[in-house]
Amino acid sequence: VEKEENSLEGSSVTLSYRYSKQATGGDQFYWYRQYPGKPPEFIIFHTGTQNETNSGMSVSVTEDKTKIILQISSAAVTDSALYYCAVRPTVTANPQSLYKNTS
């Protein structure tokens, strides 16, 4: 949600992504980190209803399921980067609309 976060080394840092709807178990969230001059690198994955922890990072979903929180437990200088949250939403549709009736 914030464009920039500043922190002291060793402290906890919280980054967040505001989702445009309520997250469901079918929604998939992929977090990436990008260092200057480098391509983005994958760091953690979770679905819209679960919490996940991996290598000093944890991801959680707010109670209203509209904000995804990435927490870095003990920030280091090497955590200075751009962070992205990519979303693969659940797609639901009327199956009838997928087929055009030509008769």
Side-chain angles (χ1 to χ4, degrees), residues 7-102:
S7 168
L8 295 174
E9 193 168 10
S11 65
S12 177
V13 176
T14 301
L15 305 174
S16 61
Y17 169 74
R18 188 174 306 280
Y19 196 35
S20 60
K21 60 177 189 153
Q22 282 193 319
T24 69
D27 296 326
Q28 298 173 355
F29 297 88
Y30 300 82
W31 285 87
Y32 293 85
R33 171 174 52 205
Q34 185 177 23
Y35 294 111
K38 303 286 186 184
E41 61 180 17
F42 170 77
I43 52 174
I44 196 166
F45 161 83
H46 67 103
T47 63
T49 55
Q50 78 179 89
N51 295 334
E52 186 66 41
T53 301
N54 183 15
S55 301
M57 295 189 182
S58 61
V59 181
S60 59
V61 183
T62 57
E63 194 172 316
D64 66 1
K65 299 190 181 350
T66 61
K67 196 186 284 186
I68 314 303
I69 309 294
L70 173 67
Q71 183 142 15
I72 302 170
S73 61
S74 182
V77 172
T78 55
D79 292 316
S80 295
L82 286 173
Y83 288 80
Y84 299 95
C85 181
V87 183
R88 181 176 183 194
T90 303
V91 177
T92 56
N94 178 347
Q96 306 292 330
S97 65
L98 299 176
Y99 303 99
K100 190 170 187 176
N101 188 347
T102 57

